[in-house]
Coordinates of all heavy atoms in Angstrom, one line a residue:
M1 N 59.3 -49.6 -129.1 CA 60.0 -50.2 -127.9 C 59.0 -50.8 -127.0 O 57.9 -50.3 -126.7 CB 60.8 -49.1 -127.2 CG 61.9 -48.5 -128.0 SD 63.3 -49.6 -128.2 CE 63.9 -49.8 -126.5
N2 N 59.4 -52.0 -126.4 CA 58.8 -52.6 -125.3 C 57.4 -53.2 -125.6 O 56.5 -53.3 -124.7 CB 58.6 -51.7 -124.1 CG 60.0 -51.3 -123.6 OD1 60.9 -52.1 -123.5 ND2 60.2 -50.0 -123.3
K3 N 57.2 -53.6 -126.9 CA 56.0 -54.3 -127.2 C 56.2 -55.8 -127.1 O 57.3 -56.3 -127.2 CB 55.6 -54.0 -128.7 CG 55.1 -52.5 -129.0 CD 53.8 -52.3 -128.3 CE 53.3 -50.9 -128.7 NZ 52.0 -50.6 -128.0
K4 N 55.1 -56.5 -126.8 CA 55.1 -57.9 -126.9 C 54.9 -58.3 -128.3 O 53.9 -58.0 -128.9 CB 54.0 -58.5 -126.0 CG 54.1 -58.2 -124.5 CD 52.9 -58.7 -123.7 CE 53.1 -58.4 -122.3 NZ 51.9 -58.8 -121.5
V5 N 56.0 -59.0 -128.9 CA 56.0 -59.2 -130.3 C 55.7 -60.7 -130.7 O 56.4 -61.6 -130.1 CB 57.3 -58.8 -130.9 CG1 57.4 -59.0 -132.4 CG2 57.6 -57.3 -130.6
I6 N 54.8 -60.9 -131.6 CA 54.6 -62.2 -132.2 C 55.2 -62.2 -133.6 O 54.7 -61.4 -134.4 CB 53.1 -62.6 -132.2 CG1 52.5 -62.5 -130.8 CG2 53.0 -64.1 -132.7 CD1 51.0 -62.5 -130.9
D7 N 56.1 -63.1 -133.9 CA 56.7 -63.2 -135.2 C 56.2 -64.4 -135.9 O 56.6 -65.5 -135.5 CB 58.2 -63.2 -135.2 CG 58.8 -63.2 -136.6 OD1 58.2 -62.6 -137.5 OD2 59.9 -63.8 -136.7
I8 N 55.2 -64.2 -136.8 CA 54.6 -65.4 -137.4 C 55.4 -65.9 -138.6 O 55.8 -65.1 -139.5 CB 53.2 -64.9 -138.0 CG1 52.3 -64.5 -136.8 CG2 52.5 -66.1 -138.7 CD1 51.9 -65.5 -135.8
G9 N 55.7 -67.2 -138.6 CA 56.5 -67.7 -139.7 C 57.9 -67.3 -139.6 O 58.5 -66.7 -140.5
T10 N 58.5 -67.5 -138.4 CA 59.8 -66.8 -138.1 C 61.0 -67.3 -138.9 O 62.0 -66.6 -139.1 CB 60.1 -67.0 -136.6 OG1 61.1 -66.2 -136.2 CG2 60.4 -68.5 -136.3
D11 N 60.9 -68.5 -139.4 CA 61.9 -69.1 -140.3 C 63.3 -69.2 -139.5 O 63.4 -69.9 -138.6 CB 62.0 -68.4 -141.6 CG 62.8 -69.2 -142.6 OD1 62.9 -70.4 -142.5 OD2 63.4 -68.6 -143.6
H12 N 64.2 -68.4 -139.9 CA 65.6 -68.5 -139.3 C 65.6 -67.7 -138.0 O 66.7 -67.6 -137.3 CB 66.6 -68.0 -140.3 CG 66.9 -68.9 -141.4 ND1 67.7 -70.0 -141.4 CD2 66.4 -68.8 -142.7 CE1 67.7 -70.6 -142.5 NE2 66.9 -69.9 -143.4
G13 N 64.6 -67.0 -137.6 CA 64.5 -66.2 -136.4 C 65.3 -64.9 -136.4 O 65.7 -64.4 -135.3
L14 N 65.6 -64.4 -137.5 CA 66.3 -63.1 -137.6 C 65.6 -62.0 -136.9 O 66.2 -61.1 -136.3 CB 66.6 -62.8 -139.1 CG 67.5 -63.7 -139.9 CD1 67.6 -63.3 -141.3 CD2 68.9 -63.8 -139.2
V15 N 64.3 -61.9 -137.1 CA 63.5 -60.8 -136.5 C 63.5 -60.9 -135.0 O 63.9 -59.9 -134.3 CB 62.1 -60.8 -137.0 CG1 61.2 -59.9 -136.2 CG2 62.0 -60.4 -138.5
P16 N 63.2 -62.0 -134.3 CA 63.3 -62.1 -132.9 C 64.7 -61.8 -132.3 O 64.8 -61.1 -131.3 CB 62.9 -63.6 -132.6 CG 62.1 -64.0 -133.7 CD 62.6 -63.3 -134.9
L17 N 65.7 -62.3 -133.0 CA 67.1 -62.2 -132.6 C 67.5 -60.7 -132.6 O 68.1 -60.2 -131.6 CB 68.0 -63.0 -133.4 CG 69.5 -63.1 -132.9 CD1 69.5 -63.7 -131.5 CD2 70.3 -63.9 -133.9
Y18 N 67.1 -60.0 -133.6 CA 67.4 -58.6 -133.7 C 66.7 -57.8 -132.6 O 67.3 -56.9 -132.0 CB 67.0 -58.0 -135.1 CG 67.3 -56.5 -135.3 CD1 68.5 -56.1 -135.8 CD2 66.3 -55.6 -134.9 CE1 68.7 -54.7 -136.0 CE2 66.5 -54.2 -135.1 CZ 67.7 -53.8 -135.6 OH 68.0 -52.5 -135.8
L19 N 65.4 -58.1 -132.4 CA 64.6 -57.3 -131.4 C 65.2 -57.6 -130.0 O 65.2 -56.6 -129.2 CB 63.2 -57.8 -131.5 CG 62.4 -57.4 -132.8 CD1 61.0 -58.1 -132.8 CD2 62.3 -55.9 -132.9
A20 N 65.6 -58.8 -129.8 CA 66.2 -59.1 -128.4 C 67.6 -58.5 -128.3 O 67.8 -57.9 -127.2 CB 66.3 -60.6 -128.3
K21 N 68.4 -58.6 -129.2 CA 69.8 -58.1 -129.2 C 69.8 -56.6 -129.0 O 70.7 -56.0 -128.3 CB 70.6 -58.4 -130.4 CG 71.2 -59.8 -130.4 CD 72.1 -60.0 -131.6 CE 72.9 -61.3 -131.6 NZ 73.8 -61.5 -132.7
N22 N 68.8 -55.9 -129.6 CA 68.8 -54.5 -129.5 C 67.9 -53.9 -128.4 O 67.5 -52.7 -128.4 CB 68.4 -53.9 -130.9 CG 69.5 -54.1 -131.9 OD1 70.5 -53.3 -132.0 ND2 69.4 -55.2 -132.7
N23 N 67.4 -54.8 -127.5 CA 66.6 -54.4 -126.4 C 65.3 -53.7 -126.8 O 64.8 -52.8 -126.1 CB 67.4 -53.5 -125.4 CG 68.5 -54.3 -124.8 OD1 68.4 -55.4 -124.3 ND2 69.7 -53.7 -124.8
I24 N 64.8 -54.0 -128.0 CA 63.5 -53.4 -128.5 C 62.3 -54.1 -127.8 O 61.4 -53.4 -127.5 CB 63.5 -53.5 -130.0 CG1 64.6 -52.7 -130.6 CG2 62.1 -53.0 -130.5 CD1 64.8 -52.9 -132.1
S25 N 62.4 -55.4 -127.6 CA 61.4 -56.1 -126.9 C 62.0 -57.2 -126.0 O 63.0 -57.8 -126.3 CB 60.5 -56.9 -127.9 OG 59.5 -57.7 -127.3

């Protein structure tokens, strides 16, 4: 929780979207 996350090669952005929607980052 609450890490600054860099998603390399994000493609469709599923990882950032999940992390944001679930208040993980």
Side-chain angles (χ1 to χ4, degrees):
M1 295 289 292
N2 298 318
K3 290 291 184 181
K4 296 177 181 177
V5 181
I6 307 167
D7 183 34
I8 300 293
T10 194
D11 196 22
H12 291 278
L14 294 177
V15 166
L17 191 59
Y18 179 92
L19 294 173
K21 276 187 172 182
N22 290 277
N23 296 312
I24 296 170
S25 174

